[in-house]
Amino acid sequence: MSQFAVNLIFVGGSFLLYIMIAVWAKAGSTKDFYVAGGGVHPITNGMAIGADWMSAASFISMAGLIAAGGYANSTFLMGWTGGYVLLAMLLAPYLRKFGKFTVPEFIGDRFYSKSARLVAVVCLIVASVTYVIGQMAGAGVAFSRFLEVDATMGLIIAAVVVFVYAVLGGMKGITYTQVAQYCVLIVAYTIPAIFISLELTGNPVPALGLFSDHSASGLPMLEKLNQVITDLGFNEYTADVDNKLNMVLFTLSLMIGTAGLPHVIIRFFTVPKVADARWSAGWALVFIALLYLTAPAVASMARLNLMTTIYPEGTAAQPIEYDERPNWVREWEVTGLIKYEDKNNDGRIQLYNDTEAFKPQADARGWNGNELEVNRDILVLANPEIANLPSWVIGLIAAGGLAAALSTAAGLLLAISSAVSHDLIKGAINPSISEKGELLAARISMAVAIVVATYLGANPPGFAAQVVALAFGIAAASLFPALMMGIFSKRVNNTGAIAGMLTGLGFTLVYIFVYKGWLFIPGTNNLADTPENWVLGISPLSIGAVGAIINFAVAFGVSYVTEEPPEEIQDLVESVRYPRGAGSASDH
């Protein structure tokens, strides 16, 4: 059986399962659509949160970024994991106690202002649309290879599948679909990792294999990797970073951005009571840890496998001939995600760090520039092929990569549609809209969001994980401070909250657009996105932490020179902060 047929079986079978679940769990009310009826079991919810959380960025792109940058890119692991702990401890139980459908609804009620609610809707939509661009781009990468179509067609297929099960089932359908997707993606991620760890180190536990000896050379795994890549002009895989400020800010931006992500927060509204929200958080950490403990090993082993594929003799002096390239390179070339240019016309593939510092060594070897470009987002998906694993493993990881991308995309689209239908249309434009009309508005807004995300996903402003990092920065600068102040400060009023959100969001977006292009449109950036152009060495991916600090400062400053919140609002803060049980989510 051909690899294409195997891929179709795994991908098609998983999609059929998702759509069947969506039909079975079709939402019949707004409560079903927004919070899955409010009766989801904590273990089920924890697994669904895990799938929601482990997006294309985690499954497809994070290991690719760590593989390319080594320790310097471990900030993705530290930021996302630490942020989830913040979310679970500081926000989830309190928001569940509040008992509403959406994040903007909490902000609107806490800051006793329709304007605050509308500003929160804008912040949520901007962050979620940016995030979903990364998911759709990741889905396009996976589809383009495993269904042997171009990236644009892969993106369209992904959009159609999400449209069917997300629009039909709402949160109820998405919850049980995400449980299935978690099972698919975690099995797909760990089985190839176990095979590859055994092959390279003899250790079946990838996280331990990372610190074991490399079987072929006898050297420690990381020492062998450092040896191979430094000979080609790359920095040591385990090297420290020069810009500590940017690393700290980036990690902080990911952490607080995580805690402000609405599509994860709304998952805690689906359980019956506050204690269940805490248990959901605990179970989700267990499920997330299974992938996050494996990712560093997958990254390092993928990098070593790639380098030894190009330099099979273990020395930079003799790369493989292009005509003898392995089949996996040929297959990925078709997608355009691997590109080769023979710059010195020797018929061989030179893969190295083409910098001024390495130029003397490259000239001595007769090299005229790096000849192989490998999109970082493909490393995890290509890993089983690089390691010559069985075809069913390749099909499994295809299904897993798509499950990761589509599960998070569905959660984000639901957050967007809920904000539009529940907070914008019902909350501000037409409060008397019927439940049927609100449900229709939610589905239409989700369909529109899918179209926009698909269009932007065709030209993303970076790799999947980088685009997601931008979304985290936006959430960090806008929503996280408002949620924190709403729960833990009685003094912050509506004027302060609105001023803080607008200032944080505006500052962060302008800084990002200057380097990434206005509205992420290619070619519209004012400055090249390089360290030399960054203010104080702060990357656009890290600026969300600065935006959050500005948000807090403006909100507190404005609040303390204006009137205190009404006494009933201060009582509301007190009741939310000391949860002693909560009823079901209510519609207002």
Side-chain angles (χ1 to χ4, degrees):
M1 186 180 294
S2 69
Q3 184 62 59
F4 179 71
V6 173
N7 294 341
L8 277 182
I9 291 171
F10 276 88
V11 174
S14 62
F15 281 6
L16 181 61
L17 174 63
Y18 306 152
I19 291 170
M20 286 172 62
I21 291 172
V23 172
W24 166 73
K26 182 178 178 181
S29 66
T30 52
K31 189 172 182 179
D32 281 346
F33 194 88
Y34 294 138
V35 293
V40 179
H41 191 278
I43 296 179
T44 302
N45 199 41
M47 198 174 289
I49 292 169
D52 218 349
W53 177 245
M54 291 183 294
S55 61
S58 291
F59 189 101
I60 297 174
S61 195
M62 180 177 64
L65 282 169
I66 297 173
Y71 170 73
N73 281 341
S74 64
T75 46
F76 285 92
L77 270 176
M78 295 185 291
W80 284 337
T81 307
Y84 184 80
V85 175
L86 277 182
L87 170 63
M89 294 178 63
L90 296 181
L91 295 180
Y94 305 108
L95 292 174
R96 176 62 192 88
K97 170 64 171 70
F98 187 68
K100 295 296 178 68
F101 282 160
T102 67
V103 169
E105 190 169 12
F106 167 78
I107 291 175
D109 284 7
R110 160 58 185 88
F111 295 111
Y112 51 101
S113 167
K114 284 188 176 181
S115 297
R117 185 171 180 174
L118 292 176
V119 171
V121 169
V122 172
C123 295
L124 183 151
I125 289 174
V126 172
S128 297
V129 167
T130 305
Y131 199 157
V132 84
I133 292 170
Q135 305 314 305
M136 300 308 288
V141 168
F143 269 117
S144 63
R145 166 64 186 91
F146 295 113
L147 296 186
E148 298 180 12
V149 296
D150 62 41
T152 302
M153 180 55 66
L155 199 59
I156 292 170
I157 295 171
V160 170
V161 173
V162 172
F163 177 84
V164 171
Y165 75 77
V167 172
L168 181 66
M171 178 61 86
K172 188 176 180 182
I174 287 171
T175 295
Y176 296 103
T177 301
Q178 285 176 335
V179 170
Q181 287 169 327
Y182 176 80
C183 296
V184 171
L185 74 86
I186 200 64
V187 170
Y189 202 86
T190 53
I191 286 182
I194 291 168
F195 273 111
I196 293 167
S197 182
L198 278 169
E199 186 177 282
L200 290 179
T201 68
N203 194 317
V205 182
L208 299 179
L210 178 62
F211 301 102
S212 301
D213 290 340
H214 181 241
S215 299
S217 65
L219 295 172
M221 173 71 193
L222 291 173
E223 184 180 331
K224 172 63 177 176
L225 179 56
N226 279 336
Q227 183 186 81
V228 169
I229 63 176
T230 52
D231 192 35
L232 294 165
F234 296 100
N235 292 332
E236 283 194 355
Y237 194 78
T238 54
D240 200 357
V241 296
D242 297 326
N243 191 340
K244 291 289 197 306
L245 172 63
N246 188 64
M247 185 176 189
V248 169
L249 287 176
F250 182 50
T251 305
L252 180 60
S253 180
L254 291 178
M255 285 179 66
I256 62 178
T258 296
L261 283 175
H263 77 289
V264 176
I265 291 173
I266 61 174
R267 288 236 54 94
F268 292 98
F269 298 161
T270 64
V271 292
K273 53 187 187 289
V274 173
D276 293 334
R278 291 196 176 98
W279 276 108
S280 294
W283 279 109
L285 278 171
V286 171
F287 294 129
I288 290 168
L290 294 176
L291 188 144
Y292 271 48
L293 290 173
T294 306
V298 170
S300 58
M301 293 173 189
R303 181 77 179 274
L304 184 59
N305 271 332
L306 175 64
M307 304 312 294
T308 53
T309 295
I310 305 303
Y311 301 97
E313 302 300 322
T315 169
Q318 194 68 15
I320 63 169
E321 293 185 9
Y322 179 68
D323 290 341
E324 295 178 358
R325 67 195 185 282
N327 190 59
W328 72 266
V329 175
R330 299 172 191 267
E331 297 288 353
W332 280 99
E333 279 181 310
V334 174
T335 69
L337 299 172
I338 289 183
K339 297 177 182 177
Y340 169 73
E341 180 185 357
D342 191 1
K343 295 179 179 178
N344 63 349
N345 297 313
D346 68 346
R348 294 184 179 274
I349 302 174
Q350 278 86 46
L351 172 62
Y352 67 100
N353 193 16
D354 191 4
T355 61
E356 283 299 316
F358 193 70
K359 195 171 188 305
Q361 293 95 312
D363 290 342
R365 295 169 181 171
W367 297 351
N368 292 336
N370 178 62
E371 297 178 346
L372 194 70
E373 288 184 25
V374 180
N375 186 303
R376 297 175 190 179
D377 284 348
I378 77 167
L379 277 183
V380 169
L381 298 176
N383 220 5
E385 296 173 274
I386 297 173
N388 294 313
L389 297 183
S391 60
W392 67 267
V393 179
I394 297 169
L396 183 63
I397 206 164
L402 292 168
L406 299 180
S407 63
T408 302
L412 288 162
L413 292 165
L414 181 66
I416 294 168
S417 71
S418 299
V420 172
S421 61
H422 191 66
D423 295 301
L424 184 60
I425 295 176
K426 183 170 185 176
I429 298 173
N430 183 13
S432 62
I433 189 172
S434 67
E435 181 169 314
K436 185 177 180 181
E438 186 182 349
L439 198 57
L440 177 62
R443 285 177 167 143
I444 292 173
S445 58
M446 186 181 284
V448 172
I450 290 172
V451 172
V452 172
T454 304
Y455 173 75
L456 294 173
N459 295 287
F463 302 108
Q466 290 176 323
V467 180
V468 167
L470 294 175
F472 279 68
I474 293 167
S478 57
L479 293 173
F480 174 76
L483 292 169
M484 285 293 291
M485 291 182 290
I487 293 169
F488 295 102
S489 172
K490 296 181 183 180
R491 184 62 184 83
V492 177
N493 60 21
N494 54 356
T495 309
I498 293 170
M501 284 190 288
L502 289 175
T503 307
L505 178 65
F507 168 81
T508 304
L509 282 178
V510 168
Y511 193 88
I512 289 171
F513 289 160
V514 164
Y515 297 99
K516 294 292 187 181
W518 293 87
L519 301 178
F520 299 126
I521 298 171
T524 61
N525 55 304
N526 301 94
L527 295 170
D529 188 14
T530 57
E532 307 84 59
N533 292 326
W534 298 342
V535 178
L536 299 177
I538 301 173
S539 158
L541 301 180
S542 310
I543 200 64
V546 180
I549 294 169
I550 292 172
N551 186 332
F552 276 116
V554 169
F556 277 112
V558 171
S559 294
Y560 276 92
V561 297
T562 51
E563 292 183 5
E564 287 189 2
E567 190 161 340
E568 62 268 21
I569 297 299
Q570 297 188 44
D571 292 341
L572 172 66
V573 174
E574 190 79 13
S575 69
V576 168
R577 205 160 64 209
Y578 299 102
R580 294 170 185 162
S584 60
S586 56
D587 185 3
H588 293 287

